[in-house]
């Protein structure tokens, strides 16, 4: 059976669905929300919620990564960002916050490109990760594939617990005539720490990433609040279908590997609690949040949000966008909420959705029935 449709006489394509296109369905049983567990574990590391802070300068500083860790999540520091380029990035953050009142502004993009030409300093990588380690939280840092070979030894020597290799898209078979590509399988095999790698947008690329030995695979391509990849490159992967496809790759890889489980982590396009709930319902083990955490009062961006694509030196594919600040980080994650739009008490909403539909833990909740309901675009 296939859901391919004819686009024209010369091209057919699969119908894909975004998280807005699906809805979860209550079952015959309900539960008390207090009896529901949202605990998550990857490798030897246990967390009180399936939330990873995206390695974006507007979202995660060493301080906010520590705060997220103390609240039960995992904060990932961008090791190519402002905190590893500037001894004191606060004046830079202050400048970014007042660049322009417009979300889409070429002069703001040009200034971001200039700001991020400052060199990455290995000693700052060491000191930032040391600050997180001294706070007693799980330490995680992120590099792009292009920078991994250059800085991974510094990252490991600093005592990182979980290493994240994150790009717009990451493949296990990168081909280049100009530079020696990163051999992910060999690289991960030689490391002593779990590696999360991505993004991946479909079954086959995700399966190949799982075969490298990764502990987790990031799912997403061009779906975040700041990205313009769809407009700039014409590439997009609706998240509901992408998560479901990669969850199936996880199942097949378990059979192939004799039971090795690779975590599927949804990354992008989850700005509200409803999006998070549906991402897990589609098969994600955890979610990597950007805009949802950028709304916290402690967020370094002070209401502004941008990603690494926004300051690409040759082809920027992201905007600096303004988000409403809604509450302190603790209230954003655990409540109590004073908002009706799903922007705070994210974990309380997840618990209640699981309780309302009768599920007591995240793995069980992945089996929930869903409906295709495009009318949700208008609600």
């Amino acid at each position: 059976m296939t859901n391919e449709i004819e686009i024209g006489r010369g091209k057919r394509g699969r119908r894909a669905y975004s998280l807005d296109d699906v809805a979860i369905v209550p079952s015959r049983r309900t539960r008390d929300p207090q009896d529901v567990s949202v605990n998550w574990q990857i490798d030897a590391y246990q967390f009180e919620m399936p939330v990873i802070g995206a390695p974006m300068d507007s979202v995660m500083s060493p301080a906010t990564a520590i705060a997220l860790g103390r609240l039960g999540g995992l904060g990932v520091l961008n090791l190519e960002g402002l905190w590893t380029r500037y001894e004191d990035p606060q004046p830079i953050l202050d400048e970014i916050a007042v660049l322009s009142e417009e979300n889409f502004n070429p002069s703001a993009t040009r200034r971001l490109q200039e700001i991020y030409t400052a060199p990455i300093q290995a000693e700052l990588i060491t000191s930032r990760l040391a600050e997180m380690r001294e706070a007693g939280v799980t330490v995680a840092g992120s590099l792009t594939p292009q920078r991994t070979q250059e800085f991974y030894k510094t990252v490991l020597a600093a005592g990182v617990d979980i290493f994240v290799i994150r790009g717009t898209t990451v493949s296990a078979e990168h081909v280049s005539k100009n530079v020696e590509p990163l051999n992910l399988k060999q690289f991960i095999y030689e490391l002593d720490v779990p590696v999360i790698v991505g993004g991946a947008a479909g079954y086959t690329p995700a399966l190949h990433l799982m075969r490298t030995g990764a502990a987790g695979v990031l799912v997403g391509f061009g779906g975040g609040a700041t990205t313009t990849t769809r407009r700039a490159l014409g590439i997009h992967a609706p998240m509901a279908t992408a998560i479901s496809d990669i969850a199936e790759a996880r199942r097949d890889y378990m059979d192939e590997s004799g039971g090795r489980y690779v975590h599927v982590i949804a990354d992008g396009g989850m700005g509200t609690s409803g999006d998070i709930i549906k991402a897990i319902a589609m098969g994600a083990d955890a979610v990597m949040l950007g805009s949802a955490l950028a709304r916290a009062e402690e967020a370094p961006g002070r209401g502004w949000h941008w990603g690494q694509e926004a300051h690409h030196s040759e082809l920027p594919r992201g905007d600096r966008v303004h988000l409403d600040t809604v509450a302190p980080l603790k209230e954003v994650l655990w409540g109590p909420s004073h908002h009706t739009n799903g922007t705070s008490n994210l974990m309380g909403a997840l618990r209640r959705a699981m309780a309302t539909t009768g599920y007591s833990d995240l793995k069980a909740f992945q089996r929930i029935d869903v409906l295709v309901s495009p009318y949700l675009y208008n609600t």
Side-chain angles (χ1 to χ4, degrees):
M1 188 175 77
T2 178
N3 62 347
E4 281 193 349
I5 60 175
E6 183 178 295
I7 299 169
R9 292 185 179 229
K11 186 70 70 173
R12 298 178 67 86
R14 290 177 63 210
R15 173 65 190 269
Y17 298 95
S18 71
L19 294 173
D20 282 334
D21 290 324
V22 299
I24 60 174
V25 183
S27 65
R28 63 182 177 85
R29 180 183 293 114
T30 58
R31 296 182 184 273
D32 187 322
Q34 299 305 313
D35 296 334
V36 171
S37 170
V38 293
N39 291 351
W40 174 60
Q41 177 174 346
I42 182 169
D43 203 83
Y45 301 97
Q46 299 184 25
F47 303 95
E48 296 174 25
M49 57 179 163
V51 171
I52 303 174
M56 305 169 79
D57 284 342
S58 54
V59 180
M60 286 288 109
S61 65
T64 52
I66 291 168
L68 179 57
R70 288 174 173 168
L71 288 169
L74 174 65
V76 183
L77 188 67
N78 174 17
L79 301 179
E80 300 175 36
L82 299 178
W83 276 269
T84 60
R85 296 174 189 263
Y86 297 91
E87 184 71 39
D88 179 11
Q90 192 57 54
I92 301 297
L93 289 164
D94 293 341
E95 179 186 354
I96 293 173
V98 297
L99 279 178
S100 168
E101 292 298 323
E102 300 174 2
N103 282 348
F104 313 112
N105 186 284
S107 64
T109 298
R110 185 178 299 109
R111 181 56 184 144
L112 280 177
Q113 291 171 315
E114 293 170 353
I115 286 170
Y116 281 90
T117 59
I120 299 168
Q121 302 177 49
E123 60 272 19
L124 288 179
I125 293 178
T126 300
S127 64
R128 304 308 187 195
L129 294 178
E131 180 182 347
M132 295 165 64
R133 175 162 294 285
E134 289 169 5
V137 300
T138 303
V139 180
S142 174
L143 292 171
T144 60
Q146 296 88 340
R147 296 280 194 174
T148 295
Q149 291 278 34
E150 184 178 357
F151 291 112
Y152 83 92
K153 291 182 180 179
T154 300
V155 175
L156 293 178
V160 74
D161 295 313
I162 297 175
F163 187 42
V164 179
I165 302 175
R166 183 178 187 255
T168 305
T169 187
V170 178
S171 78
E173 299 181 13
H174 182 68
V175 178
S176 174
K177 294 181 179 179
N178 303 310
V179 296
E180 182 67 27
L182 176 67
N183 185 326
L184 270 176
K185 188 170 185 177
Q186 179 180 349
F187 176 78
I188 292 174
Y189 177 78
E190 293 175 351
L191 294 185
D192 291 328
V193 300
V195 177
I196 297 172
V197 61
Y203 175 95
T204 299
L207 184 60
H208 282 282
L209 288 177
M210 292 173 186
R211 288 169 176 163
T212 67
V217 171
L218 298 171
V219 182
F221 193 106
T226 67
T227 184
T228 59
T229 299
R230 184 175 186 175
R231 296 200 298 270
L233 299 183
I235 303 174
H236 180 61
M239 281 295 283
T241 296
I243 295 168
S244 179
D245 283 349
I246 294 174
E248 185 66 13
R250 175 185 60 204
R251 185 198 307 268
D252 290 347
Y253 178 69
M254 283 186 68
D255 292 340
E256 173 188 306
S257 63
R260 184 174 182 274
Y261 191 90
V262 178
H263 291 262
V264 172
I265 301 165
D267 179 14
M270 294 167 293
T272 66
S273 55
D275 297 327
I276 295 167
I277 290 161
K278 289 186 283 187
I280 294 173
M282 295 307 299
D285 296 291
V287 294
M288 178 171 275
L289 300 181
S291 61
L293 301 185
R295 297 190 183 101
E297 291 177 3
E298 300 92 329
R302 289 169 47 188
W304 289 96
H305 184 40
W306 65 94
Q308 286 180 279
E309 298 90 352
H311 52 78
H312 191 280
S313 60
E314 296 178 2
L315 185 62
R317 303 179 303 281
D319 287 314
R320 169 183 159 272
V321 300
H322 193 263
L323 304 171
D324 292 329
T325 298
V326 299
L329 182 62
K330 184 177 180 180
E331 289 186 22
V332 168
L333 291 166
W334 292 111
S337 176
H338 308 290
H339 303 83
T340 60
N341 59 0
T343 57
S344 60
N345 199 4
L346 304 178
M347 293 301 99
L350 174 58
R351 269 188 173 150
R352 185 163 294 275
M354 293 169 63
T356 301
T357 54
Y359 294 89
S360 60
D361 60 65
L362 296 173
K363 289 306 300 177
F365 188 61
Q366 291 174 345
R367 300 194 294 268
I368 192 172
D369 290 336
V370 298
L371 295 176
V372 177
S373 51
Y375 67 87
L376 288 177
Y377 278 124
N378 299 317
T379 61

